[in-house]
Every structure is written in structure tokens, then in C-alpha cells.
Amino acid sequence: MHQARYYRFFDILIEFKYVNFSDAGLTGEVARKLPWDDLVILTPVQNAWVDGEKQVKAYRKALNEKYPDLNIKRFVVVALGFERLCWLEVI
């Protein structure tokens, strides 16, 4: 049984991915100084985003089947070590 919603809020779905510095060929010091544009084009970060995007889409489908009135905003957040985060809204 679904409970009625009186306000149109977004439901948030976040998939977190982790990339090791060694996989990215970087150190923490280099990662901290890396510009965003250079960070998001790293192959391990791109691979994590692709994997995360697939998972988020599958989760959304399952959630919408069970709870059709959800208004889900989907994001993939990739951590490069514990130094940097980058994110992407999945449309």
C-alpha cells in the first residue's frame, strides 16, 4: 500500500564507486592538485562512471516498479582515493 504524497519531492539515488590511486596511476598529492577536467577524463574514473550508471539505471527501474510515484534523481559519485570526489547526474 502506497502512502499519498502531498508535495513533489525528489527521491535521491546515489551509487558510490571507489578508484584506487594505483589504478589511476596517481598519488594523493597529485590527485589533490588535479583540475576537475583532468580528473573526470581518467580512464578508471570513466569506467567507474559507466559501471555506476548501469547500476543506477537498474536500481531505478526496480524502485519504480515497486513504487511508481517516486521522482528519482540519480547520481554516480566516484571517489579517487580519499582525496577527491567527482559526480555525475544520470539522466
Side-chain angles (χ1 to χ4, degrees):
M1 179 173 180
H2 300 291
Q3 191 170 8
R5 289 183 167 197
Y6 297 104
Y7 302 101
R8 197 66 182 147
F9 292 107
F10 287 113
D11 300 289
I12 305 295
L13 175 60
I14 302 172
E15 174 66 23
F16 290 96
K17 296 294 182 188
Y18 180 83
V19 175
N20 289 315
F21 290 128
S22 60
D23 292 341
L26 301 172
T27 64
E29 185 176 333
V30 171
R32 279 191 298 276
K33 296 177 183 176
L34 199 61
W36 172 270
D37 292 340
D38 293 341
L39 176 68
V40 298
I41 63 170
L42 294 171
T43 300
V45 171
Q46 289 286 315
N47 291 341
W49 267 346
V50 168
D51 185 42
E53 190 172 0
K54 288 177 189 174
Q55 288 180 295
V56 162
K57 287 179 179 180
Y59 298 152
R60 178 181 182 224
K61 182 180 178 191
L63 285 168
N64 277 338
E65 287 173 3
K66 188 166 184 168
Y67 308 104
D69 57 340
L70 292 179
N71 188 18
I72 300 175
K73 286 265 194 184
R74 302 164 292 168
F75 298 90
V76 176
V77 176
V78 177
L80 179 56
F82 292 108
E83 304 296 326
R84 296 294 301 272
L85 291 175
C86 52
W87 56 91
L88 168 73
E89 182 177 358
V90 178
I91 299 174

